[in-house]
Amino acid sequence: MFISKQKEQLNILPTANSGENIFVSIGNISKEKEAYNMIALSNWKQVPFINNELVGNVSVNPGERKIFKFKLPFVKENSNFQVIAFPTPYKISKDNFDSTLVYGSIRTMIKP
């Protein structure tokens, strides 16, 4: 799980401007196809993600990385931004450790 300004170059994005386009990447290093539910948070409030939906449903094949173009929300004051992914949604089990994990991007500060 990573957010960056470039599609292929993964550089940490400590700050970005309100309304700026960024890229959200999620990969899969396992040997099986992985499903994720992804959400975006701006100032700790959920904002629309993929196709203007609040929850993005994503499947990633082994060794694959999916990249999504995302327009940061417009803010009036500095706001934290983070994307969070929940693996194997709706299949949580004490026998499946991965189902209890949560992946988050590094937080980015959105400036007005």
Side-chain angles (χ1 to χ4, degrees):
M1 167 68 52
F2 206 87
I3 56 177
S4 61
K5 280 190 180 184
Q6 295 87 19
K7 189 174 186 177
E8 294 300 328
Q9 203 170 18
L10 301 179
N11 292 320
I12 294 173
L13 184 61
T15 62
N17 294 319
S18 186
E20 185 174 355
N21 287 320
I22 62 166
F23 294 94
V24 176
S25 299
I26 187 158
N28 179 3
I29 59 171
S30 76
K31 295 180 181 177
E32 296 179 17
K33 188 174 192 173
E34 291 283 346
Y36 299 93
N37 276 358
M38 297 170 64
I39 62 169
L41 301 171
S42 176
N43 212 21
W44 308 119
K45 294 181 182 154
Q46 195 170 348
V47 295
F49 188 57
I50 301 169
N51 297 325
N52 216 26
E53 297 286 332
L54 286 176
V55 178
N57 300 301
V58 179
S59 290
V60 186
N61 291 319
E64 181 181 47
R65 181 168 64 112
K66 293 226 174 156
I67 304 168
F68 304 93
K69 189 174 183 178
F70 183 86
K71 186 172 188 169
L72 291 172
F74 289 95
V75 297
K76 294 182 180 178
E77 58 187 37
N78 286 352
S79 299
N80 282 319
F81 177 80
Q82 188 170 28
V83 177
I84 299 175
F86 303 91
T88 62
Y90 314 114
K91 294 181 184 176
I92 298 170
S93 164
K94 65 180 178 179
D95 298 327
N96 180 0
F97 178 73
D98 289 343
S99 73
T100 65
L101 299 176
V102 175
Y103 301 103
S105 66
I106 294 173
R107 288 186 208 131
T108 296
M109 179 65 64
I110 304 174
K111 296 184 174 196

